[in-house]
Amino acid sequence: MSEAIYQKAIDAIMEADQKLALEAVRQHLDSGVDPMELMNKGFIVGISKVGDLFGSGKMFLPELMLAAEVMQAASQALNQAMPAGRESGYAHIHITAATVKGDIHDIGKGIGIALFRANGFTVHDLGRDVEAEVMIDDAVKNNSQIIATSALLTTTLSEQKKLEETLKKAGLKGKIKTMVAGAPVTPRWANRIGADIYAENAHEGVQGVIRAIKEG
Amino acid sequence: MRTAGDLVARVQLSKKLRINEAKKYVADKLKIGVEELCDPVIMSEVRADLGFGVMMPLGGTPKGLECKFNIARVLDLDINCLNRFKRMAGL
Amino acid sequence: MTKIFTRMGDGSPLEMTEAELRGDIEDGISQAVEKGDVPPLTQEEIEYLVELFKRDDRFVGVPLGKEVILSYDAATLKIKRHALFEDRINALAIYERLLGADTLELCHVDYSYKVLKPIVSYEQATLEQALYNTHAPLFYGAMPNLGLYTQPDGPFPNPMELLPQGRIEEGRAAYDQMVEAAVEDICFIAEAMWESGADAINFDTVGASGDPDFKASLMAVERLRGKYPDLPIMVGMAGEFVLGMHGEMYYDGVRLAGLYPKDQLALAEKAGAAIFGPVVNTNANESTPWNLARTIALIKPCGETASIPIHANMGMGVGAVPVTDYPPVDVVSRASKAMVELCRLDGL
C-alpha cells in the first residue's frame, strides 16, 4: 500500500498534479505512517527526477515551476500533520541567493532558485549585482544556512572570493556555508577560494546542499 | 593567410560547401593539388604570384581590398565589399 | 602500472590507468546516448580515443590533408581581454597576419544585437574601413541575447519573476514579445552590416536565453536569407541543448526546447544558415576523456548528416576543452584532433 502511495506522490510531482499529490498525502496520513516517509520516499524522489529531466533538456522551466507549486502544497499539507517543531522537506533550510557584484546575468541564478524552491527550500533571492556584504546581512537576518552565488563572467569571479574573505572577517565562515556556480566556476576555483559547495548545474547544486546539510 | 584557410573559408561561406568539396574547389581554381593548400611554402608563392595577399606584404605588392579583387576573379566568387566599393567609387 | 596523463574538466592534472581511461570514455558515451538520443561510438572509435590519450606527445595534430578551417568569434573583443588596446582594425590585422586566423570577426565590446542599434552607423564605418585593410572573410557578429529584453534591461516583464508566481501564460507572452523585438533588432543590424560589405554575419551563443533565443535567431536567419539570398550566416550555439524557458515554442513544427545538436542543425539548415556551430559543454567534474567521448558522440551525427559546413565550438568550457582561462595544449590539441577526425567537421 505504502509503495503505491509513494509512487502516486512521485507521479503527482512529475505530472504537476496537485489533486493527486493531496490525495497521496491524505491516503498516507490515513495509513498512520510517519508523514516524513511520504516526503522522503515520494515527493523528494519525484522532484529529484524532475531536476534530472530539467538538467537533460527533457523537462522545461514552466513545468518545473508547476511541479514546484505542487511540491509546496504537498509540503504544507504534510507539515500540518507533523508534531510541532518538526517539519518535512527542506522549508526550514534558508538559502540567500544572488548574482555577484558587477554581474547582471541572472538566468542561471533564476533556474537554480526555481529548482531549489521546487525541492522545498526557502530561498531569499537578492537579485543580481549584489555586494558580498549585502548577501551576508541578508543571510544573518534570515538565518540562512547557505549563501549561493552565481558569476557568469571571468571578470566577476573574484567577487566569490571576496565573499569568502568577508565571511571570514565577520567570523561567519563555516557558520554560513557558501555555494558557487556559474559558467567559468569550477571545482578547482571552489577549492582555491574555500567555498563549501560547487554546483556544476542547478540539479547538482541541490544535491550539493542536501549533502552539506546531512554532513552538518 | 599562411596557407589557404581564408580562401577555403570564403568558398564554404559563399557556396555552403563541406570541407573536402571546398578544398577541391579552391585547389582546382588555383591549379594545384589539394594537399598543397596547407603548405605554407607553396601557398605563399601561389599567393604572391596571384596577388592574394601574404603575411608579410612588402611595398609595391597588392594588399587588402586589392587582393580581394584578385581572389574574387581567380576563385570566381562574388565578394560583397567589392560590390560596395565599385558602387561607392562610381565604377 | 603505467599511468596516463590527462586532465579534469577544470584543467587540473590527472593520472589514470588504462582501465580508468576506458571506463571514463565508455561512461561519457553512455551519457551522450542517454541524454542526446544519439548512437554510441564504435569500438574502433573508442580504441582511437584510448590510443590518443595514451600518447605521450604534448601536442598532437591531424594528418596531412585533414586540416580544417579555424574560424574565430568575437576576435576584436577577445584581444581586449589581454589588455591590448589596439583599435579594432589593427586587432583584425593581428588575427589575420600574426595569428593566421582563417576568418575574422568585427564586434563591439558590448556583444549584443540590441545594444548596437543606436551606434550602428559607427559600427558600419569601422567595418567599411576594416574591409579595405583585411583579406580573410570578415564577419560582423554579436549575440541575440534575449536576456536584455526583460526588465530592468528591456521593455518586457521578466518571465523569471512571473513564472515562480505561477503566472505561466504571462511569462510565455513576455517571451513571445521578446522574440518579435529581437528579430527586428538582429535583422536591423545584420542588414546594415551586409549593406556595408560584411562577408558574413555571426549569430553567436544562440540559445543562451533558451528556446526564445533560438527561435528569434532562426526567424532572423530566415528573414535575412529571404531578403538577401547571398548573405551567409553562421549560427553558433550557446549550449548543448536548448533550455526550455518557454517550453512551447516551435519552429517549422518542431518544439525547440530540449533539442540537442543534431536536431538544432536540422532547423538551422532549414532556416538558411551557411555554417552551424554546435556546442557541447565541458563538465568540470569529469575528466577530459569522459568529456571528449561525450562531446564526439553528441556532435558526430551533425558531421554525418550536415549539408552545410560544421564548425564545432572548441574553447574554454566547450568541446571538451577545460573550463579555464588558459586551456592546456595537451588536451586542446587532443580534443581538436579527435573532433575533426571522428566528427567529420569542416572547421573549429
Side-chain angles (χ1 to χ4, degrees):
Chain A
M1 178 63 180
S2 289
E3 290 305 319
I5 299 173
Y6 298 150
Q7 188 57 49
K8 190 177 276 188
I10 294 169
D11 293 343
I13 294 295
M14 295 190 68
E15 291 159 24
D17 186 336
Q18 189 159 321
K19 201 172 149 203
L20 193 66
L22 296 178
E23 190 181 303
V25 170
R26 187 181 48 75
Q27 287 178 342
H28 184 78
L29 295 177
D30 287 350
S31 71
V33 180
D34 184 351
M36 199 77 102
E37 291 289 297
L38 182 62
M39 178 54 76
N40 292 336
K41 294 179 179 169
F43 293 118
I44 286 179
V45 174
I47 205 70
S48 179
K49 287 188 177 186
V50 165
D52 221 10
L53 289 171
F54 182 78
S56 307
K58 299 187 191 320
M59 189 176 260
F60 312 120
L61 196 61
E63 294 156 342
L64 176 63
M65 298 294 186
L66 291 171
E69 277 184 34
V70 176
M71 186 74 179
Q72 198 176 6
S75 296
Q76 279 170 358
L78 279 174
N79 284 339
Q80 280 169 6
M82 301 276 278
R86 198 163 167 243
E87 278 188 80
S88 70
Y90 302 116
H92 60 292
I93 305 291
H94 287 238
I95 299 171
T96 292
T99 303
V100 297
K101 180 74 190 161
D103 205 323
I104 60 162
H105 297 89
D106 59 0
I107 291 175
K109 173 180 70 67
I111 291 169
I113 287 173
L115 201 57
F116 272 103
R117 284 186 175 148
N119 277 272
F121 291 88
T122 303
V123 184
H124 306 281
D125 181 4
L126 302 188
R128 57 193 202 164
D129 187 20
V130 180
E131 294 272 12
E133 290 82 357
V134 174
M135 297 179 207
I136 295 171
D137 286 349
D138 181 86
V140 171
K141 185 180 89 183
N142 289 307
N143 220 5
S144 291
Q145 290 91 327
I146 310 276
I147 297 178
T149 59
S150 166
L152 190 86
L153 305 170
T154 49
T155 51
T156 57
L157 267 182
S158 57
E159 288 294 321
Q160 293 180 329
K161 188 177 177 193
K162 188 180 164 195
L163 173 64
E164 301 297 332
E165 289 163 354
T166 314
L167 277 169
K168 270 183 212 156
K169 276 186 203 153
L172 293 169
K173 181 71 190 145
K175 292 176 187 156
I176 301 171
K177 290 187 189 296
T178 52
M179 184 178 82
V180 290
V185 179
T186 62
R188 192 176 179 87
W189 170 250
N191 285 337
R192 270 187 76 198
I193 64 173
D196 299 292
I197 305 159
Y198 161 73
E200 172 77 20
N201 51 44
H203 184 51
E204 284 192 18
V206 170
Q207 301 310 314
V209 167
I210 292 171
R211 266 197 309 277
I213 292 163
K214 284 183 181 159
E215 287 164 8
Chain B
M1 285 181 69
R2 279 170 57 81
T3 58
D6 59 326
L7 309 176
V8 177
R10 276 198 187 280
V11 172
Q12 282 196 343
L13 282 168
S14 60
K15 299 190 180 297
K16 292 187 179 179
L17 291 180
R18 304 289 306 267
I19 187 73
N20 292 336
E21 290 78 16
K23 280 182 174 178
K24 183 172 185 314
Y25 179 95
V26 174
D28 287 350
K29 292 289 182 189
L30 300 184
K31 299 186 173 54
I32 60 173
V34 169
E35 69 286 354
E36 291 175 308
L37 289 175
C38 295
D39 188 317
V41 175
I42 292 167
M43 274 311 299
S44 60
E45 291 170 0
V46 170
R47 294 186 78 105
D49 291 347
L50 294 172
F52 279 10
V54 291
M55 300 279 272
M56 291 181 276
L58 297 174
T61 61
K63 296 172 195 66
L65 200 73
E66 298 152 357
C67 299
K68 289 183 190 173
F69 276 99
N70 296 328
I71 292 169
R73 186 183 65 255
V74 174
L75 294 188
D76 190 21
L77 296 176
D78 197 49
I79 296 183
N80 189 27
C81 68
L82 299 184
N83 298 329
R84 181 183 174 278
F85 175 78
K86 286 186 262 188
R87 217 167 48 239
M88 290 292 149
L91 298 173
Chain C
M1 190 179 294
T2 311
K3 289 278 191 174
I4 298 157
F5 174 83
T6 183
R7 293 181 190 271
M8 288 297 289
D10 65 359
S12 303
L14 173 70
E15 286 192 327
M16 308 178 95
T17 64
E18 185 171 332
E20 288 167 342
L21 174 68
R22 280 181 187 279
D24 268 20
I25 289 171
E26 282 162 10
D27 194 36
I29 295 168
S30 300
Q31 224 226 24
V33 170
E34 184 194 327
K35 295 207 166 187
D37 189 25
V38 290
L41 300 186
T42 64
Q43 195 54 43
E44 194 182 345
E45 288 165 333
I46 292 171
E47 294 307 320
Y48 168 100
L49 289 174
V50 169
E51 291 308 313
L52 181 67
F53 281 103
K54 279 170 69 180
R55 288 171 64 166
D56 59 6
D57 305 78
R58 178 143 181 81
F59 183 91
V60 298
V62 295
L64 289 171
K66 293 277 189 188
E67 301 88 349
V68 296
I69 299 302
L70 202 53
S71 56
Y72 282 78
D73 58 17
T76 56
L77 184 162
K78 285 172 179 163
I79 205 158
K80 281 192 181 355
R81 288 184 193 160
H82 297 260
L84 292 172
F85 301 108
E86 282 293 335
D87 76 61
R88 288 186 288 166
I89 296 175
N90 256 351
L92 292 170
I94 288 169
Y95 267 92
E96 178 185 80
R97 273 166 267 160
L98 281 177
L99 302 176
D102 293 329
T103 70
L104 306 171
E105 180 179 311
L106 178 73
C107 70
H108 190 264
V109 70
D110 201 344
Y111 194 48
S112 302
Y113 282 104
K114 178 171 175 275
V115 303
L116 296 167
K117 282 181 83 175
I119 56 166
V120 67
S121 185
Y122 299 101
E123 290 301 282
Q124 284 179 289
T126 308
L127 175 73
E128 288 159 8
Q129 289 292 316
L131 285 161
Y132 284 124
N133 192 38
T134 53
H135 307 75
L138 179 52
F139 289 69
Y140 189 84
M143 294 167 58
N145 198 359
L146 264 71
L148 289 185
Y149 289 83
T150 55
Q151 294 160 3
D153 301 308
F156 304 114
N158 193 336
M160 294 305 285
E161 289 173 6
L162 296 171
L163 295 177
Q165 296 168 28
R167 296 157 72 182
I168 307 285
E169 287 317 308
E170 285 173 76
R172 282 182 168 153
Y175 279 130
D176 292 336
Q177 290 175 299
M178 288 157 62
V179 169
E180 281 181 36
V183 171
E184 293 301 322
D185 291 349
I186 295 167
C187 290
F188 177 82
I189 300 300
E191 286 181 22
M193 293 306 164
W194 179 247
E195 292 290 348
S196 282
D199 288 299
I201 302 295
N202 182 20
F203 292 5
D204 200 357
T205 60
V206 164
S209 306
D211 45 354
D213 204 298
F214 191 34
K215 179 162 185 178
S217 303
L218 293 171
M219 287 172 67
V221 172
E222 185 182 310
R223 190 201 286 187
L224 288 164
R225 292 283 296 179
K227 187 167 180 183
Y228 302 103
D230 296 330
L231 162 56
I233 300 169
M234 179 156 74
V235 172
M237 299 303 293
E240 62 195 36
F241 67 83
V242 179
L243 274 170
M245 307 298 280
H246 181 290
E248 290 292 336
M249 281 202 162
Y250 291 80
Y251 180 82
D252 196 38
V254 179
R255 190 188 205 188
L256 301 180
L259 292 186
Y260 274 81
K262 67 182 167 64
D263 300 316
Q264 298 162 8
L265 164 67
L267 294 183
E269 283 177 325
K270 178 95 183 171
I275 294 180
F276 180 68
V279 164
V280 172
N281 305 91
T282 301
N283 186 326
N285 277 326
E286 301 287 353
S287 69
T288 299
W290 185 95
N291 277 297
L292 184 55
R294 181 175 179 277
T295 301
I296 289 170
L298 285 170
I299 290 187
K300 195 176 153 218
C302 292
E304 288 172 343
T305 60
S307 62
I308 59 173
I310 303 295
H311 289 201
N313 279 273
M314 303 285 293
M316 175 188 176
V318 292
V321 175
V323 191
T324 165
D325 278 336
Y326 304 96
V329 72
D330 45 290
V331 282
V332 173
S333 65
R334 276 168 176 75
S336 303
K337 175 181 167 67
M339 288 285 284
V340 169
E341 290 183 27
L342 298 186
C343 295
R344 274 203 61 209
L345 296 183
D346 306 283
L348 300 174

